[in-house]
């Protein structure tokens, strides 16, 4: 919206978004690894201040700066804060008892879904109703306020404990992080399908003669259902391992999205109902994936692992949007969504098969804390 309102086209904004996502994918694991061995307060404060400066610079210079500089600023804004996302999740799990982690990560998923549901409408309303630069300035101000409030977070100034005789840059550390690659793959697959849903709903409606104005309603229902699904998942313990839960939920999401794609030939309700259920299932899936990673990796690798998980999600989301943009043509939305479902399902089951092998030999988390899930 900044690009459209200030420059009159979407192209610069698209390049800025691409630069932001690409930098996040690269920076997230690198910066996340730093948080595993350092007090989080200083690192988090620096990340937020740099992000705020980049956002305000973009807003102030959008009409004067070259496109390359705007893209670089967008990359700086996304990259600076990329490691903090995984770091905050690690801090959350670090200060809680093991029995509370599942509920906490469920609430984290719910809050994320609420933000994603509200943000597009809020940003669009401010950009079109006030000024296209306002959302970036407000986001920058929010980052500054967050930096000022950081010292009040429990445990944020503490130095993470490291296992004796081991540093965070050893080959053993790299092997431990890479052992979780099936989890990263499944996360990327889930976000690949999520992006497919967001991009393909309007073309699906148009292909079958339905009003594309319903696209916003359908996606809002998907987001609202995700909030409800996240709450439901956190209310109780579910049978099976987190690995099994995530595979079942991802399979359910794929089946529901495929059903929606086929159902779009029948009518709006046959499209909207399965997608709404898919939103609820996806919220549980995301939490189960986070818990699976939390359970698999040693605690001193959680920030790096969560950041790699985030990078995989960005990669899956961005690649899906690119594939849809390149190959979607008039009248072929249903076929393309079904192909995306097959790609997602194949990747998920490949990751699950490999995860079954690696989980038995991977280093187990916790020293002095017992997993309530494992004990069941």
């Amino acid at each position: 919206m900044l690009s459209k309102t200030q420059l009159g086209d979407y192209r610069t904004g698209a390049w800025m978004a691409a630069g932001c996502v690409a930098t996040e994918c690269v920076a997230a694991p690198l910066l996340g690894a730093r948080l595993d061995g350092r007090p989080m307060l200083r690192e988090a404060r620096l990340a937020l201040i740099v992000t705020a400066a980049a956002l305000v610079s973009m807003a102030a210079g959008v009409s004067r700066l070259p496109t390359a500089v705007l893209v670089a600023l967008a990359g700086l804004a996304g990259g600076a804060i990329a490691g903090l996302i995984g770091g905050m999740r690690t801090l959350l799990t670090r200060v809680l008892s093991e029995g509370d982690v599942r509920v906490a990560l469920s609430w984290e998923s719910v809050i994320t879904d609420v933000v994603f549901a509200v943000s597009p409408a809020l940003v669009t309303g401010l950009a079109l109703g006030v000024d296209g630069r306002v959302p970036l300035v407000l986001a920058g101000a929010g980052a500054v306020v967050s930096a000022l409030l950081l010292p009040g977070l429990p445990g944020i100034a503490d130095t993470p404990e490291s296992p004796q005789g081991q540093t965070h840059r050893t080959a053993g550390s790299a092997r431990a992080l890479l052992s979780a690659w099936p989890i990263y793959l499944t996360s990327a697959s889930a976000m690949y399908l999520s992006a497919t849903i967001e991009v393909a709903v309007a073309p699906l409606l148009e292909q079958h003669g339905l009003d594309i104005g319903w696209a916003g309603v359908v996606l809002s229902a998907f987001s609202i259902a995700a909030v409800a699904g996240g709450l439901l998942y956190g209310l109780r313990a579910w049978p099976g391992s987190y690995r099994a839960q995530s595979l079942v939920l991802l399979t359910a999401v794929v089946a529901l999205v495929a059903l929606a794609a086929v159902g779009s030939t029948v009518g709006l309700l046959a499209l909207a109902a399965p997608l709404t259920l898919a939103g609820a299932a996806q919220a549980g899936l995301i939490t189960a994936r986070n818990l699976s990673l939390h359970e698999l990796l040693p605690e001193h690798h959680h920030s790096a692992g969560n950041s790699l998980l985030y990078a995989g999600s960005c990669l899956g989301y961005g690649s899906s949007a690119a594939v849809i943009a390149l190959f979607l043509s008039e009248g072929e939305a249903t076929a393309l969504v079904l192909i995306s479902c097959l790609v997602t399902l194949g990747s998920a089951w490949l990751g699950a098969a490999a995860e079954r092998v690696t989980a038995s030999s991977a280093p187990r988390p916790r020293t002095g804390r017992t997993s309530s899930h494992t004990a069941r």
Side-chain angles (χ1 to χ4, degrees), residues 9-44:
D9 66 68
Y10 291 107
R11 287 176 297 178
T12 301
W15 281 111
M16 291 166 68
C20 180
V21 172
T23 308
E24 283 182 306
C25 288
V26 175
L30 299 176
L31 297 179
R34 286 175 59 87
L35 297 178
D36 279 323
R38 296 172 171 81
M40 201 173 294
L41 178 58
R42 185 177 61 183
E43 302 283 333

Side-chain angles (χ1 to χ4, degrees), residues 51 101 156 254 288 315:
T51 296
V101 168
I156 196 168
V254 169
L315 184 61

Side-chain angles (χ1 to χ4, degrees), residues 162-252:
S162 301
Q164 292 184 352
Q166 182 177 355
T167 65
H168 294 285
R169 296 183 180 274
T170 63
S173 297
R175 281 195 299 270
L177 289 170
L178 292 176
S179 71
W181 72 264
I183 301 177
Y184 311 142
L185 175 61
T186 307
S187 180
S189 299
M191 293 309 296
Y192 184 95
L193 190 60
S194 181
T196 298
I197 294 168
E198 294 185 16
V199 175
V201 165
L204 278 172
L205 292 170
E206 186 174 22
Q207 177 181 345
H208 302 295
L210 302 171
D211 186 354
I212 62 172
W214 285 106
V217 177
V218 171
L219 292 175
S220 293
F222 181 90
S223 298
I224 293 170
V227 173
L231 289 172
L232 178 62
Y233 184 87
L235 285 176
R236 50 157 294 179
W238 299 88
S241 66
Y242 294 134
R243 182 175 65 250
Q245 290 173 17
S246 61
L247 182 60
V248 169
L249 287 167
L250 182 54
T251 302

Side-chain angles (χ1 to χ4, degrees), residues 186 189-190 193 243-259 274 277-278 281-282 284-285 289 341-342 344-350 352:
T186 307
S189 299
L193 190 60
R243 182 175 65 250
Q245 290 173 17
S246 61
L247 182 60
V248 169
L249 287 167
L250 182 54
T251 302
V253 172
V254 169
L256 288 165
V257 172
L259 182 61
L277 293 175
Q282 178 149 307
L285 160 65
R289 281 289 80 184
C341 288
L342 288 175
T344 300
L345 192 62
S347 299
W349 280 92
L350 172 64

